[in-house]
Amino acid sequence: MSRAHSAERAHPITAWLRSVWAVTWRDVRTTTRYKSWFIASLIWPIIYPFSLVFVGRGLAGPSGEGLGRFAELAQTSDYQSFIILGSLAWMFVNINLWMGGLSLMTDRTRGTFDTHWTMPVSKLSLVVGATFASLILNFVPMVISIAFYAAIGWLQVSGSPIDIAIAILLVIPFLLGFLLCFSAFTVRFREAGMLVQVMRTVFAILCGLQFPLAVLPPGLQSIGRAIPLTHFIDVVRSVVIQGASVRDHSSSIGYVAVSGLIMIVVGVLAFELVRASVRRTGLVTGY
Amino acid sequence: MRALEVDNLRKEFETKTGPLFRKKRETITAVDGVSFAIDRGEIFSLLGPNGAGKTTTIKMLATLLIPTAGTARVFGHDVVREEATVRRLMTTVLPGERTLFWKLTVKENLRYFGSLYGLTKAYTERRIAELISFFGMEEKANALVERLSTGQRQKIVLSRALLPDPQLILLDEPTLGLDPNAARQLRELIRSVRDQGKTVLLTTHYMYEADELSDRVAIINKGRIACLDTPDQLKRSINAQKIIRAETDVWTPACSSAFEAAFPGNSIELEPDRESVRLTIMVRSGDVTIGRLASIALECGATIRTVQVDEPSLEDVFVAFTGDRAELEGESDEQSA
C-alpha cells in the first residue's frame, strides 16, 4: 500500500452534497435490491385508494344522493379524484416518515449509527439524504397509482404537470424540516415506530387528506389550516382536478414556502440541540 | 507532539432506578480519571474486563460522547472543542460486523464511506484499489457484504477505517466474535497497519491479544487505570520468576502454614471450588519445585491433581494490580489460538 499521498478532501460544500447523494444512493440501491419492494410498489399504490373510494361510494347512498353534499363541502363533485389524490398524499407522508424520519433509528438497529456519528460527515446530511431517497422511491408508486387510476377513468388530470411539480417542490422544505425534528426525536427517545402511526393519522385528519376539511369542527379546521400540508393538498387538488394554475393559489403557495423555510431552521436547531444533548447524556449510544 | 494525550478523563451517566413515580436518580461513573498518552506509530492497548470503561473511553475519544471532566487531545486537537478536526485525523472501528451495509458490495460500501469522510472521488477510487489489493480482497470487490465471511467483513471494516489515511485509528474490541483463525489474521493486519506509520489505540479484554500486539498496555478496571507499561515490564513488575498453577482436592490452613515455612517470600493464592482448590503460586524467590510442593501437599493430606508452570502473563498482572481474577473468568484464553 502506497504511503506517498495523503487524503485528498473535497471542498466542504462539495463534500456535503456528495455525502447527501451517497446516503440517497445507499438507500435507493439497498431498497431496490429487495425484489419484494418492486412487488409491493406495484400493488400498494393501486389497492390502497380503492378502499377509500368504496367507502365514499357506500356513504353516498344507493343512488349517490350524498355526493351533492360532498360537492358542497369539497368544492368539487369529482369525489374519486379527490380521494385518490388525498390517498397519494397520505402515502407520500407515510413513506417519508418511515424512510426519512426513522432513518437514524434504522441506522441504530442496523448497527451503523455509531460509525456514522464518529465520521466527519454532517449528521444532518444523513437525514436529508434518506429523505431524498424516500422521495425518489415515492415517485415510483405515485406514478403507478396516477397512471392506473387515470387509465380506468377514476382520476381526471386536468392541470399542468409543471404546476403539480412546482407544488411538490415547494412542500419539500417543510417536509425536510419536519423530518429533521422527527429524527431528533428518534435520536433522543430511540423508539418512534408508534409515533409514525400517530403522526400519519394526525396529518390524515387535520389536513383533510381523505375527506373535505369542512367536516371537521371549526377548532380542528383552524389547526389544520395552519399545517402547510393542508395548503399543499388543496393546491394539488385544485391544479389536478380543476385545471387551476399554482399562480391562482399564490397565498397558499407562499404560506407553504415560507413555513417550509421556518420549519427547516427549526428542524436544524432541534436536531443540533438534541445531538449535543445525547452526546452529553450518553443516549447517543445504545439501543 | 504526541498522537493522543488523555488527561484525567471522566464520564458519569445519570440513570433513574426504582418503581414508576418513585424513581431515584443515580450517577454511575463509567470512567474515573483516566490519563495516558500515546506516541506516534505505537500500538497501545486498553485492556480490561467487560464493563471496565474501555468502550466509554473510546467513545469519548471518538467524539461520540462528551466527557464529564478531563481532556483528550488528538495530535494537539481537543476532542470536544475541535471535534471536526479530530474526526479528520482519526478513524474509529467499533465492535461488530454490522457496521457495514450488507446489501451493498465491498466497493459500494467503500465508495459510500469515502463520500462520508469528505474525500474526493478520484482519491477514493485510487485508495479503494490500494486497500482491496492490500487486504487481498480483489476477488470479493464486487460481492455483496452479506456474502462475505466474518473475517472478510472485518477486513472491509479495517479498509473503511484506512480510507482517509488517518494518523490514528481507534479499534474497539476488533476481534470480538471472530474465530481464532480470523482473529489471528486480523492481529497480523493490525501490525501491518502500524507498519504503515499509523498509531493504533486498541481496546480488548483478551490478554493474549494485548500481549501479542501492543507496544504498551494500560490495564483498566472499574473505570480506572490500574497500571500502564510495556507488556514485558508489566510482567516483570509483579516480581515473579514463574507462576505455578495447581489443582488439589483440599487445601487446609495447615497446608498454607507448611508452604510458608518451606518457601518464605512466595505468595500463594487460593480459589476454592466445589470439589477442588485452585492454587496460584507466584514464585519470587528460592527454588519452588513441583516435587517439593507435592511433598508439602501430601504431608498435609492434600493430593495435587494437575499442575502447570507458566511465565507470568498479563492476566497475572491484572490480578496482581486489581486483586480480581473473577472479572477475567473465561475471557483470557478463548482468542489465544
Side-chain angles (χ1 to χ4, degrees), chain A residues 1 3 5 7-10 18 25-26 33-34 110-111 114-117 119 121 123 275 279-281 284-285, chain B residues 11 63-64 66 83 87-88 94 98 101 103 108 112 115-121 126 130 160 164-165 196 198:
Chain A
M1 187 168 47
R3 287 283 305 125
H5 56 77
E8 293 162 17
R9 293 187 187 273
R18 280 197 70 211
W25 182 88
R26 174 203 78 191
R33 281 210 162 116
Y34 290 97
R110 192 168 39 209
D114 287 1
T115 299
H116 280 144
W117 281 53
M119 297 177 83
V121 64
K123 308 308 164 267
R275 193 174 80 86
R279 286 176 64 217
R280 216 174 297 113
T281 57
V284 71
T285 60
Chain B
K11 184 67 192 172
T63 70
L64 200 55
I66 296 175
E83 93 182 82
R87 285 176 180 171
R88 278 191 278 274
L94 295 164
R98 284 271 172 191
F101 290 86
K103 275 286 174 194
E108 286 170 346
Y112 167 74
S115 298
L116 266 54
Y117 279 124
L119 306 173
T120 64
K121 210 170 172 179
R126 216 165 51 232
E130 282 176 7
R160 193 261 298 155
D165 198 23
Q196 301 290 326
K198 312 289 182 206

Short mmCIF file of all heavy atoms in Angstrom, two decimals, chain A residues 1 3 5 7-10 18 25-26 33-34 110-111 114-117 119 121 123 275 279-281 284-285, chain B residues 11 63-64 66 83 87-88 94 98 101 103 108 112 115-121 126 130 160 164-165 196 198:
data_model
loop_
_atom_site.label_atom_id
_atom_site.label_comp_id
_atom_site.label_asym_id
_atom_site.label_seq_id
_atom_site.Cartn_x
_atom_site.Cartn_y
_atom_site.Cartn_z
N MET A 1 0.85 -1.20 0.00
CA MET A 1 0.00 0.00 0.00
C MET A 1 0.89 1.25 0.00
O MET A 1 1.79 1.38 0.81
CB MET A 1 -0.89 -0.02 1.24
CG MET A 1 -1.91 1.07 1.26
SD MET A 1 -3.16 0.84 2.56
CE MET A 1 -2.20 0.43 3.98
N ARG A 3 2.33 4.93 0.53
CA ARG A 3 2.24 5.93 1.60
C ARG A 3 2.64 7.30 1.08
O ARG A 3 2.93 8.20 1.83
CB ARG A 3 3.18 5.53 2.75
CG ARG A 3 2.71 4.38 3.58
CD ARG A 3 1.60 4.72 4.56
NE ARG A 3 1.98 5.84 5.42
CZ ARG A 3 1.27 6.93 5.54
NH1 ARG A 3 0.18 7.11 4.85
NH2 ARG A 3 1.66 7.90 6.36
N HIS A 5 0.95 9.45 -0.62
CA HIS A 5 -0.07 10.51 -0.69
C HIS A 5 -0.79 10.66 0.64
O HIS A 5 -0.78 9.76 1.47
CB HIS A 5 -1.08 10.16 -1.77
CG HIS A 5 -1.71 8.82 -1.56
ND1 HIS A 5 -2.68 8.61 -0.63
CD2 HIS A 5 -1.45 7.63 -2.13
CE1 HIS A 5 -3.03 7.35 -0.64
NE2 HIS A 5 -2.28 6.73 -1.54
N ALA A 7 -4.68 12.02 2.31
CA ALA A 7 -6.07 12.05 1.83
C ALA A 7 -6.38 13.36 1.14
O ALA A 7 -6.01 14.43 1.62
CB ALA A 7 -6.99 11.85 3.02
N GLU A 8 -7.05 13.28 -0.02
CA GLU A 8 -7.48 14.48 -0.73
C GLU A 8 -8.94 14.72 -0.36
O GLU A 8 -9.78 13.88 -0.64
CB GLU A 8 -7.35 14.27 -2.24
CG GLU A 8 -5.91 14.14 -2.69
CD GLU A 8 -5.81 13.50 -4.08
OE1 GLU A 8 -6.82 13.45 -4.81
OE2 GLU A 8 -4.71 13.05 -4.41
N ARG A 9 -9.18 15.85 0.26
CA ARG A 9 -10.54 16.13 0.71
C ARG A 9 -11.21 17.13 -0.21
O ARG A 9 -10.59 18.06 -0.71
CB ARG A 9 -10.51 16.67 2.14
CG ARG A 9 -10.04 15.60 3.11
CD ARG A 9 -10.13 15.99 4.54
NE ARG A 9 -9.51 14.95 5.35
CZ ARG A 9 -10.13 13.87 5.79
NH1 ARG A 9 -11.40 13.68 5.53
NH2 ARG A 9 -9.48 12.98 6.52
N ALA A 10 -12.51 16.91 -0.40
CA ALA A 10 -13.28 17.79 -1.27
C ALA A 10 -13.58 19.10 -0.54
O ALA A 10 -13.48 19.18 0.69
CB ALA A 10 -14.58 17.08 -1.64
N ARG A 18 -21.97 15.65 -1.73
CA ARG A 18 -21.62 14.25 -2.03
C ARG A 18 -22.12 13.31 -0.93
O ARG A 18 -22.55 12.20 -1.20
CB ARG A 18 -20.09 14.10 -2.18
CG ARG A 18 -19.59 14.55 -3.55
CD ARG A 18 -18.20 14.02 -3.82
NE ARG A 18 -18.23 12.58 -4.02
CZ ARG A 18 -17.24 11.76 -3.70
NH1 ARG A 18 -16.15 12.23 -3.15
NH2 ARG A 18 -17.34 10.48 -3.92
N TRP A 25 -28.24 7.53 -2.50
CA TRP A 25 -27.92 6.39 -3.37
C TRP A 25 -27.91 5.09 -2.57
O TRP A 25 -28.43 4.08 -3.03
CB TRP A 25 -26.55 6.65 -4.01
CG TRP A 25 -26.16 5.57 -4.97
CD1 TRP A 25 -26.45 5.49 -6.29
CD2 TRP A 25 -25.43 4.39 -4.65
NE1 TRP A 25 -25.95 4.33 -6.82
CE2 TRP A 25 -25.33 3.63 -5.84
CE3 TRP A 25 -24.87 3.87 -3.48
CZ2 TRP A 25 -24.67 2.40 -5.89
CZ3 TRP A 25 -24.23 2.66 -3.53
CH2 TRP A 25 -24.14 1.93 -4.72
N ARG A 26 -27.33 5.15 -1.37
CA ARG A 26 -27.26 3.95 -0.50
C ARG A 26 -28.66 3.39 -0.27
O ARG A 26 -28.90 2.19 -0.43
CB ARG A 26 -26.63 4.37 0.83
CG ARG A 26 -26.61 3.31 1.91
CD ARG A 26 -26.50 3.96 3.28
NE ARG A 26 -27.77 4.50 3.74
CZ ARG A 26 -27.92 5.28 4.80
NH1 ARG A 26 -26.87 5.67 5.48
NH2 ARG A 26 -29.11 5.71 5.16
N ARG A 33 -32.63 -3.56 -4.06
CA ARG A 33 -32.05 -4.91 -4.14
C ARG A 33 -32.99 -5.97 -3.56
O ARG A 33 -32.72 -7.15 -3.65
CB ARG A 33 -30.69 -4.96 -3.42
CG ARG A 33 -29.59 -4.37 -4.29
CD ARG A 33 -28.23 -4.97 -4.04
NE ARG A 33 -27.36 -4.66 -5.17
CZ ARG A 33 -26.26 -3.90 -5.11
NH1 ARG A 33 -25.89 -3.40 -3.96
NH2 ARG A 33 -25.54 -3.68 -6.19
N TYR A 34 -34.07 -5.51 -2.94
CA TYR A 34 -35.09 -6.45 -2.45
C TYR A 34 -36.18 -6.56 -3.51
O TYR A 34 -36.85 -5.56 -3.81
CB TYR A 34 -35.69 -5.95 -1.13
CG TYR A 34 -34.74 -6.03 0.04
CD1 TYR A 34 -34.01 -4.92 0.44
CD2 TYR A 34 -34.56 -7.22 0.74
CE1 TYR A 34 -33.12 -4.98 1.51
CE2 TYR A 34 -33.68 -7.29 1.82
CZ TYR A 34 -32.97 -6.17 2.19
OH TYR A 34 -32.11 -6.23 3.25
N ARG A 110 -29.57 -1.31 12.53
CA ARG A 110 -28.68 -1.95 11.55
C ARG A 110 -27.27 -2.08 12.12
O ARG A 110 -26.54 -2.99 11.77
CB ARG A 110 -28.68 -1.09 10.29
CG ARG A 110 -28.04 -1.73 9.09
CD ARG A 110 -28.34 -0.93 7.83
NE ARG A 110 -28.31 0.49 8.07
CZ ARG A 110 -29.03 1.38 7.38
NH1 ARG A 110 -29.82 0.99 6.42
NH2 ARG A 110 -28.93 2.67 7.65
N GLY A 111 -26.87 -1.15 13.00
CA GLY A 111 -25.54 -1.21 13.61
C GLY A 111 -24.57 -0.20 13.04
O GLY A 111 -23.39 -0.19 13.39
N ASP A 114 -23.42 4.36 15.22
CA ASP A 114 -22.24 4.87 15.93
C ASP A 114 -21.10 5.18 14.96
O ASP A 114 -20.39 6.18 15.13
CB ASP A 114 -21.75 3.84 16.96
CG ASP A 114 -22.68 3.76 18.17
OD1 ASP A 114 -23.69 4.48 18.18
OD2 ASP A 114 -22.39 2.97 19.09
N THR A 115 -20.94 4.32 13.96
CA THR A 115 -19.88 4.56 12.98
C THR A 115 -20.13 5.88 12.26
O THR A 115 -19.22 6.70 12.11
CB THR A 115 -19.83 3.39 11.96
OG1 THR A 115 -19.53 2.20 12.67
CG2 THR A 115 -18.79 3.63 10.89
N HIS A 116 -21.37 6.10 11.82
CA HIS A 116 -21.69 7.36 11.14
C HIS A 116 -21.38 8.57 12.03
O HIS A 116 -20.88 9.58 11.58
CB HIS A 116 -23.17 7.41 10.78
CG HIS A 116 -23.50 6.64 9.52
ND1 HIS A 116 -24.66 5.93 9.37
CD2 HIS A 116 -22.81 6.47 8.37
CE1 HIS A 116 -24.67 5.37 8.18
NE2 HIS A 116 -23.56 5.67 7.56
N TRP A 117 -21.69 8.41 13.31
CA TRP A 117 -21.55 9.56 14.21
C TRP A 117 -20.11 9.83 14.62
O TRP A 117 -19.82 10.82 15.28
CB TRP A 117 -22.49 9.40 15.43
CG TRP A 117 -23.89 9.78 15.06
CD1 TRP A 117 -24.61 9.29 14.00
CD2 TRP A 117 -24.74 10.76 15.68
NE1 TRP A 117 -25.84 9.89 13.94
CE2 TRP A 117 -25.95 10.78 14.95
CE3 TRP A 117 -24.59 11.59 16.78
CZ2 TRP A 117 -27.01 11.63 15.30
CZ3 TRP A 117 -25.65 12.43 17.12
CH2 TRP A 117 -26.84 12.45 16.40
N MET A 119 -17.84 9.91 12.25
CA MET A 119 -17.24 10.36 10.98
C MET A 119 -17.40 11.87 10.82
O MET A 119 -18.27 12.48 11.44
CB MET A 119 -17.90 9.61 9.82
CG MET A 119 -17.66 8.12 9.89
SD MET A 119 -18.48 7.23 8.59
CE MET A 119 -17.32 7.45 7.28
N VAL A 121 -18.70 13.51 8.54
CA VAL A 121 -19.91 13.92 7.81
C VAL A 121 -20.90 14.64 8.73
O VAL A 121 -21.01 14.30 9.91
CB VAL A 121 -20.58 12.66 7.18
CG1 VAL A 121 -21.06 11.70 8.24
CG2 VAL A 121 -21.71 13.05 6.26
N LYS A 123 -24.24 15.28 10.39
CA LYS A 123 -25.29 14.30 10.71
C LYS A 123 -26.61 14.69 10.04
O LYS A 123 -27.46 13.84 9.80
CB LYS A 123 -25.48 14.19 12.23
CG LYS A 123 -24.20 13.93 13.00
CD LYS A 123 -23.41 12.74 12.47
CE LYS A 123 -21.99 12.71 12.97
NZ LYS A 123 -21.00 13.33 12.12
N ARG A 275 -28.49 16.60 19.29
CA ARG A 275 -27.19 15.96 19.05
C ARG A 275 -26.21 16.26 20.21
O ARG A 275 -25.55 15.37 20.73
CB ARG A 275 -26.60 16.46 17.72
CG ARG A 275 -25.44 15.65 17.23
CD ARG A 275 -25.01 16.09 15.85
NE ARG A 275 -24.19 17.27 15.86
CZ ARG A 275 -22.87 17.26 16.01
NH1 ARG A 275 -22.23 16.13 16.16
NH2 ARG A 275 -22.19 18.38 16.01
N ARG A 279 -25.02 13.43 23.26
CA ARG A 279 -23.59 13.14 23.42
C ARG A 279 -23.17 13.36 24.88
O ARG A 279 -22.26 12.73 25.38
CB ARG A 279 -22.75 14.01 22.49
CG ARG A 279 -22.85 13.57 21.02
CD ARG A 279 -22.08 14.50 20.13
NE ARG A 279 -20.67 14.49 20.42
CZ ARG A 279 -19.90 15.58 20.38
NH1 ARG A 279 -20.40 16.75 20.07
NH2 ARG A 279 -18.62 15.49 20.65
N ARG A 280 -23.86 14.29 25.51
CA ARG A 280 -23.54 14.57 26.91
C ARG A 280 -24.14 13.49 27.83
O ARG A 280 -23.50 13.00 28.73
CB ARG A 280 -24.09 15.95 27.29
CG ARG A 280 -23.21 16.71 28.26
CD ARG A 280 -23.71 18.13 28.49
NE ARG A 280 -23.70 18.95 27.29
CZ ARG A 280 -24.79 19.42 26.68
NH1 ARG A 280 -25.99 19.19 27.15
NH2 ARG A 280 -24.69 20.14 25.60
N THR A 281 -25.41 13.15 27.56
CA THR A 281 -26.10 12.21 28.46
C THR A 281 -25.73 10.75 28.18
O THR A 281 -25.97 9.89 29.02
CB THR A 281 -27.63 12.33 28.29
OG1 THR A 281 -27.95 12.10 26.91
CG2 THR A 281 -28.13 13.69 28.71
N VAL A 284 -26.78 8.84 23.00
CA VAL A 284 -26.38 8.63 21.61
C VAL A 284 -25.96 7.19 21.36
O VAL A 284 -26.08 6.67 20.25
CB VAL A 284 -25.23 9.62 21.23
CG1 VAL A 284 -23.93 9.25 21.91
CG2 VAL A 284 -25.04 9.67 19.71
N THR A 285 -25.50 6.53 22.40
CA THR A 285 -25.08 5.14 22.23
C THR A 285 -26.17 4.22 22.77
O THR A 285 -27.07 4.65 23.47
CB THR A 285 -23.76 4.86 22.98
OG1 THR A 285 -23.99 5.12 24.35
CG2 THR A 285 -22.64 5.72 22.48
N LYS B 11 -16.23 10.13 32.88
CA LYS B 11 -17.58 10.14 32.31
C LYS B 11 -18.57 9.56 33.32
O LYS B 11 -18.40 8.45 33.82
CB LYS B 11 -17.63 9.30 31.03
CG LYS B 11 -18.98 9.34 30.33
CD LYS B 11 -19.29 10.71 29.76
CE LYS B 11 -20.73 10.87 29.32
NZ LYS B 11 -21.06 12.24 28.95
N THR B 63 -15.22 11.11 19.82
CA THR B 63 -16.14 12.28 19.78
C THR B 63 -17.62 11.88 19.80
O THR B 63 -18.48 12.69 19.50
CB THR B 63 -15.90 13.20 18.56
OG1 THR B 63 -16.33 12.52 17.37
CG2 THR B 63 -14.45 13.61 18.41
N LEU B 64 -17.87 10.64 20.15
CA LEU B 64 -19.27 10.19 20.22
C LEU B 64 -19.92 10.66 21.52
O LEU B 64 -21.09 11.01 21.55
CB LEU B 64 -19.28 8.65 20.12
CG LEU B 64 -20.55 7.96 19.72
CD1 LEU B 64 -21.09 8.47 18.40
CD2 LEU B 64 -20.30 6.45 19.60
N ILE B 66 -19.45 13.22 25.08
CA ILE B 66 -18.73 14.37 25.64
C ILE B 66 -18.32 14.01 27.08
O ILE B 66 -19.16 13.59 27.87
CB ILE B 66 -19.62 15.64 25.63
CG1 ILE B 66 -19.94 16.02 24.18
CG2 ILE B 66 -18.93 16.80 26.35
CD1 ILE B 66 -20.92 17.17 24.03
N GLU B 83 -13.85 19.01 17.44
CA GLU B 83 -14.31 17.66 17.07
C GLU B 83 -14.19 17.40 15.56
O GLU B 83 -13.82 16.31 15.13
CB GLU B 83 -15.73 17.41 17.59
CG GLU B 83 -16.82 17.74 16.65
CD GLU B 83 -18.23 17.55 17.16
OE1 GLU B 83 -18.76 18.44 17.85
OE2 GLU B 83 -18.81 16.55 16.78
N ARG B 87 -12.01 14.38 13.92
CA ARG B 87 -12.62 13.33 13.10
C ARG B 87 -11.93 13.16 11.75
O ARG B 87 -12.08 12.14 11.11
CB ARG B 87 -14.10 13.64 12.87
CG ARG B 87 -14.92 13.36 14.09
CD ARG B 87 -16.36 13.76 13.88
NE ARG B 87 -17.12 13.48 15.09
CZ ARG B 87 -18.34 13.87 15.30
NH1 ARG B 87 -18.97 14.54 14.38
NH2 ARG B 87 -18.97 13.57 16.42
N ARG B 88 -11.20 14.19 11.34
CA ARG B 88 -10.45 14.06 10.09
C ARG B 88 -9.10 13.38 10.31
O ARG B 88 -8.53 12.80 9.40
CB ARG B 88 -10.27 15.43 9.43
CG ARG B 88 -11.50 15.85 8.63
CD ARG B 88 -11.21 17.04 7.77
NE ARG B 88 -11.31 18.27 8.53
CZ ARG B 88 -12.43 18.94 8.73
NH1 ARG B 88 -13.56 18.50 8.22
NH2 ARG B 88 -12.44 20.05 9.42
N LEU B 94 -15.75 0.39 15.55
CA LEU B 94 -16.50 -0.07 16.72
C LEU B 94 -16.80 -1.55 16.57
O LEU B 94 -16.73 -2.10 15.47
CB LEU B 94 -17.78 0.76 16.84
CG LEU B 94 -17.48 2.24 17.13
CD1 LEU B 94 -18.68 3.10 16.87
CD2 LEU B 94 -16.99 2.43 18.56
N ARG B 98 -21.71 -5.50 11.85
CA ARG B 98 -22.87 -4.80 11.30
C ARG B 98 -22.58 -3.33 11.07
O ARG B 98 -23.51 -2.53 10.98
CB ARG B 98 -24.07 -4.98 12.23
CG ARG B 98 -24.68 -6.36 12.13
CD ARG B 98 -25.74 -6.40 11.05
NE ARG B 98 -26.20 -7.74 10.80
CZ ARG B 98 -26.96 -8.08 9.76
NH1 ARG B 98 -27.32 -7.18 8.87
NH2 ARG B 98 -27.35 -9.31 9.58
N PHE B 101 -22.82 -2.00 5.23
CA PHE B 101 -24.14 -2.20 4.62
C PHE B 101 -24.12 -3.51 3.86
O PHE B 101 -23.43 -3.64 2.86
CB PHE B 101 -24.49 -1.01 3.73
CG PHE B 101 -24.75 0.22 4.52
CD1 PHE B 101 -23.72 1.06 4.91
CD2 PHE B 101 -26.02 0.50 4.97
CE1 PHE B 101 -23.94 2.17 5.69
CE2 PHE B 101 -26.27 1.60 5.76
CZ PHE B 101 -25.23 2.43 6.13
N LYS B 103 -26.27 -5.07 2.08
CA LYS B 103 -26.90 -5.15 0.75
C LYS B 103 -26.11 -4.35 -0.29
O LYS B 103 -26.58 -4.18 -1.42
CB LYS B 103 -28.34 -4.65 0.81
CG LYS B 103 -29.33 -5.71 1.25
CD LYS B 103 -29.59 -6.74 0.14
CE LYS B 103 -30.46 -7.87 0.63
NZ LYS B 103 -30.45 -9.02 -0.30
N GLU B 108 -18.97 -0.67 -3.22
CA GLU B 108 -20.04 0.31 -2.97
C GLU B 108 -19.96 0.82 -1.53
O GLU B 108 -20.13 2.02 -1.28
CB GLU B 108 -21.41 -0.34 -3.22
CG GLU B 108 -21.72 -0.53 -4.69
CD GLU B 108 -22.96 -1.38 -4.95
OE1 GLU B 108 -23.45 -2.04 -4.01
OE2 GLU B 108 -23.42 -1.39 -6.10
N TYR B 112 -19.18 4.67 -0.57
CA TYR B 112 -20.14 5.36 0.30
C TYR B 112 -19.41 6.03 1.47
O TYR B 112 -19.58 7.22 1.73
CB TYR B 112 -21.17 4.36 0.80
CG TYR B 112 -22.03 4.86 1.93
CD1 TYR B 112 -23.04 5.79 1.71
CD2 TYR B 112 -21.82 4.44 3.24
CE1 TYR B 112 -23.81 6.27 2.74
CE2 TYR B 112 -22.59 4.92 4.28
CZ TYR B 112 -23.58 5.84 4.03
OH TYR B 112 -24.34 6.33 5.07
N SER B 115 -17.32 9.03 0.59
CA SER B 115 -18.11 10.27 0.49
C SER B 115 -18.37 10.86 1.88
O SER B 115 -18.32 12.07 2.07
CB SER B 115 -19.45 10.00 -0.19
OG SER B 115 -19.25 9.55 -1.48
N LEU B 116 -18.65 9.99 2.84
CA LEU B 116 -18.94 10.47 4.19
C LEU B 116 -17.68 11.00 4.90
O LEU B 116 -17.78 11.81 5.81
CB LEU B 116 -19.60 9.36 5.03
CG LEU B 116 -21.13 9.38 5.03
CD1 LEU B 116 -21.72 9.36 3.65
CD2 LEU B 116 -21.69 8.25 5.85
N TYR B 117 -16.52 10.54 4.47
CA TYR B 117 -15.27 11.09 5.01
C TYR B 117 -14.90 12.41 4.31
O TYR B 117 -13.91 13.04 4.66
CB TYR B 117 -14.12 10.10 4.83
CG TYR B 117 -14.07 9.01 5.88
CD1 TYR B 117 -14.08 7.67 5.52
CD2 TYR B 117 -13.97 9.31 7.24
CE1 TYR B 117 -14.01 6.66 6.47
CE2 TYR B 117 -13.92 8.31 8.20
CZ TYR B 117 -13.94 6.99 7.81
OH TYR B 117 -13.87 6.00 8.75
N GLY B 118 -15.67 12.78 3.28
CA GLY B 118 -15.41 14.03 2.57
C GLY B 118 -14.24 13.94 1.61
O GLY B 118 -13.61 14.95 1.28
N LEU B 119 -13.93 12.73 1.13
CA LEU B 119 -12.80 12.55 0.23
C LEU B 119 -13.21 12.84 -1.22
O LEU B 119 -14.39 12.69 -1.57
CB LEU B 119 -12.28 11.12 0.34
CG LEU B 119 -11.93 10.65 1.75
CD1 LEU B 119 -11.60 9.17 1.76
CD2 LEU B 119 -10.76 11.45 2.30
N THR B 120 -12.25 13.20 -2.05
CA THR B 120 -12.58 13.42 -3.46
C THR B 120 -12.84 12.06 -4.12
O THR B 120 -12.34 11.02 -3.65
CB THR B 120 -11.44 14.12 -4.21
OG1 THR B 120 -10.31 13.24 -4.21
CG2 THR B 120 -11.07 15.45 -3.59
N LYS B 121 -13.57 12.12 -5.23
CA LYS B 121 -13.94 10.90 -5.92
C LYS B 121 -12.69 10.18 -6.45
O LYS B 121 -12.56 8.95 -6.28
CB LYS B 121 -14.86 11.26 -7.10
CG LYS B 121 -15.85 10.21 -7.44
CD LYS B 121 -16.84 10.76 -8.44
CE LYS B 121 -17.71 9.64 -8.94
NZ LYS B 121 -18.71 10.10 -9.88
N ARG B 126 -8.81 5.60 -6.08
CA ARG B 126 -7.41 5.17 -6.02
C ARG B 126 -7.16 4.39 -4.72
O ARG B 126 -6.54 3.35 -4.70
CB ARG B 126 -6.54 6.42 -6.06
CG ARG B 126 -5.24 6.25 -6.82
CD ARG B 126 -4.58 7.56 -7.15
NE ARG B 126 -4.42 8.48 -6.05
CZ ARG B 126 -4.82 9.75 -6.07
NH1 ARG B 126 -5.44 10.23 -7.13
NH2 ARG B 126 -4.61 10.54 -5.04
N GLU B 130 -6.08 0.42 -3.81
CA GLU B 130 -4.92 0.08 -2.96
C GLU B 130 -5.32 -0.82 -1.80
O GLU B 130 -4.66 -1.82 -1.53
CB GLU B 130 -4.34 1.37 -2.35
CG GLU B 130 -3.49 2.18 -3.28
CD GLU B 130 -3.05 3.47 -2.59
OE1 GLU B 130 -3.30 3.65 -1.38
OE2 GLU B 130 -2.45 4.30 -3.29
N ARG B 160 -12.26 0.40 5.51
CA ARG B 160 -13.05 1.63 5.67
C ARG B 160 -12.33 2.61 6.61
O ARG B 160 -12.24 3.80 6.32
CB ARG B 160 -14.41 1.24 6.25
CG ARG B 160 -15.48 2.29 6.21
CD ARG B 160 -15.65 3.01 7.52
NE ARG B 160 -16.05 2.13 8.60
CZ ARG B 160 -15.80 2.40 9.88
NH1 ARG B 160 -15.14 3.48 10.23
NH2 ARG B 160 -16.18 1.57 10.82
N PRO B 164 -9.42 7.26 4.70
CA PRO B 164 -8.95 8.65 4.69
C PRO B 164 -7.50 8.80 5.13
O PRO B 164 -7.08 9.90 5.45
CB PRO B 164 -9.89 9.34 5.68
CG PRO B 164 -10.31 8.28 6.62
CD PRO B 164 -10.23 6.97 5.91
N ASP B 165 -6.74 7.71 5.13
CA ASP B 165 -5.34 7.72 5.53
C ASP B 165 -5.16 8.39 6.90
O ASP B 165 -4.42 9.37 7.04
CB ASP B 165 -4.52 8.48 4.47
CG ASP B 165 -3.04 8.14 4.58
OD1 ASP B 165 -2.72 7.08 5.12
OD2 ASP B 165 -2.22 8.97 4.15
N GLN B 196 2.62 0.82 8.59
CA GLN B 196 2.40 1.93 7.64
C GLN B 196 2.59 3.28 8.32
O GLN B 196 2.35 4.31 7.71
CB GLN B 196 0.95 1.88 7.11
CG GLN B 196 0.57 0.60 6.39
CD GLN B 196 1.27 0.46 5.07
OE1 GLN B 196 1.51 1.47 4.41
NE2 GLN B 196 1.62 -0.75 4.69
N LYS B 198 0.95 4.20 11.13
CA LYS B 198 -0.25 4.64 11.86
C LYS B 198 -0.10 4.38 13.36
O LYS B 198 0.61 3.46 13.76
CB LYS B 198 -1.49 3.87 11.39
CG LYS B 198 -1.66 3.79 9.90
CD LYS B 198 -2.06 5.11 9.33
CE LYS B 198 -2.29 5.02 7.83
NZ LYS B 198 -2.07 6.30 7.18
#
